[in-house]
Amino acid sequence: MALACSAWAWPDKPIKLIVAAPPGGTMDIVARVVGQQLSSDLGQPVVVENKPGAGAAIGIQAMLQAPPDGHTLAITASNALAEIPHVMKPPYDPLKDVLPIASLARSGVVLVTSAKVPATDFKSLLAYLQTRKGSGTYASYSPGTVSHYAGLILSDKAGLDFQHVGYQGSPPALQHVLGGQVDMMFDGMLTSVPLIKAGKLRAYGFSGAKRSQHLPDVPTMTELGYPEIQFVGWVGMIGSPKLKPELLAQIQKAVTKAASAPGVHQKLLDVGLEPEIQTDTAALKRDTREMSERNAAIVRKYEIKM
């Protein structure tokens, strides 16, 4: 009875949303947009707290150490559970100790170069990159992520023999792509789309199973003959696996309502995401495990290390 009443009373105090990333990025924007709507719907403050570092492990660990009463949750991306742990071991099992509560949106990465590169389509880009075979470079927004994997696979399959240059985030990596110090990059939509539309970056291929609604004229890497470069991840809410089923159901209902609000939906679109709400925890776990196993195989094949 006490457990049931406790769950029914949720939330009876402010909710903390931990973001395992710095302010201003995709996860931070999602947390603030959804958190604001949650606060309005539930009548309780929703406080966003950024805890970046250690491949998202610091933020996720902070969430796991809080009481599993639904008042401390986290916003993260699937890469924190399915990519980074293969090269940076967290103090928890990302597939067992973390509960995916709801995915809110999905996104892939896009192959970009500086607009100064003399190639207007993927075929001419490959011809240009071949002239730099063995001496060219590709950037990633972090080692051990799909930004890294996608560039590595393209370099391998196209016979480019390019060198990986890892950065701490997209902004510094894109600065060097724009400046020509790095030849190419698979980057996230949030940071690349505005520069593509401004004519500063040129886009050649998207990593999704289908074309992005944000870049409908850009073919998928599968269309271009590289089905191995198909990477799509989710951004969503996670919690402790110790959450009671009744409480989990309440949280999922509230999050679904908040994320479905027209204003929230539009704001997620505006930052380059493709809104898609999923609250089937079994399906999310299965999806994350499949991504993790695939990424583990890539790490082993290419002997990727931090």
Side-chain angles (χ1 to χ4, degrees):
M1 284 291 292
L3 286 173
C5 290
S6 175
W8 190 257
W10 179 88
D12 58 4
K13 60 182 179 180
I15 296 171
K16 181 188 291 184
L17 270 186
I18 294 176
V19 179
T26 303
M27 289 180 280
D28 182 65
I29 293 172
V30 171
R32 295 180 189 279
V33 169
V34 175
Q36 184 177 23
Q37 186 65 45
L38 269 176
S39 178
S40 176
D41 291 345
L42 298 173
Q44 286 284 357
V46 176
V47 180
V48 175
E49 183 175 334
N50 296 87
K51 285 186 173 290
I58 291 175
I60 294 175
Q61 182 76 346
M63 180 274 293
L64 293 175
Q65 290 173 341
D69 59 6
H71 291 92
T72 301
L73 304 165
I75 296 290
T76 193
S78 56
N79 71 328
L81 306 178
E83 298 168 30
I84 296 173
H86 294 297
V87 292
M88 182 184 292
K89 300 300 180 185
Y92 50 82
D93 187 326
L95 300 180
K96 294 180 180 179
D97 299 335
V98 177
L99 177 69
I101 293 174
S103 66
L104 305 174
R106 291 182 176 265
S107 185
V109 290
V110 58
L111 174 61
V112 295
T113 71
S114 165
K116 299 174 184 177
V117 169
T120 56
D121 57 24
F122 183 73
K123 183 178 179 180
S124 58
L125 173 66
L126 282 187
Y128 168 76
L129 295 177
Q130 286 290 346
T131 67
R132 296 185 49 72
K133 181 175 180 178
S135 62
T137 54
Y138 65 94
S140 76
Y141 49 65
S142 179
T145 64
V146 297
S147 177
H148 180 181
Y149 304 159
L152 178 59
I153 293 170
L154 178 60
S155 175
D156 178 45
K157 297 295 181 180
L160 300 176
D161 192 25
F162 272 26
Q163 178 70 36
H164 170 240
V165 184
Y167 291 80
Q168 293 299 313
S170 288
L174 287 175
Q175 284 184 2
H176 282 183
V177 173
L178 290 167
Q181 292 94 337
V182 182
D183 292 294
M184 64 178 186
M185 178 182 181
F186 279 91
D187 187 44
M189 303 292 279
L190 170 67
T191 43
S192 279
V193 169
L195 293 170
I196 293 167
K197 293 185 175 180
K200 296 180 180 180
L201 288 177
R202 186 170 286 130
Y204 299 91
F206 178 62
S207 71
K210 58 183 180 180
R211 296 191 183 195
S212 168
Q213 59 185 300
H214 300 285
L215 299 170
D217 296 329
V218 177
T220 67
M221 293 304 298
T222 299
E223 289 179 72
L224 296 170
Y226 292 82
E228 306 90 346
I229 307 177
Q230 186 178 124
F231 296 101
V232 177
W234 52 262
V235 177
M237 181 177 287
I238 60 173
S240 167
K242 297 177 183 177
L243 287 172
K244 300 299 181 184
E246 313 87 28
L247 177 56
L248 173 62
Q250 283 186 270
I251 296 170
Q252 289 175 322
K253 182 179 179 180
V255 171
T256 298
K257 180 182 177 183
S260 300
V264 173
H265 183 94
Q266 186 59 49
K267 286 177 182 177
L268 295 181
L269 280 172
D270 290 344
V271 298
L273 294 171
E274 312 232 354
E276 181 182 305
I277 304 169
Q278 167 68 277
T279 58
D280 184 336
T281 54
L284 286 170
K285 285 181 179 179
R286 183 170 59 251
D287 186 25
T288 305
R289 183 173 294 278
E290 289 173 357
M291 285 192 288
S292 180
E293 290 172 352
R294 180 191 178 197
N295 293 331
I298 293 172
V299 169
R300 288 193 301 270
K301 177 178 179 179
Y302 292 103
E303 299 181 347
I304 297 173
K305 294 180 175 61
M306 290 295 282

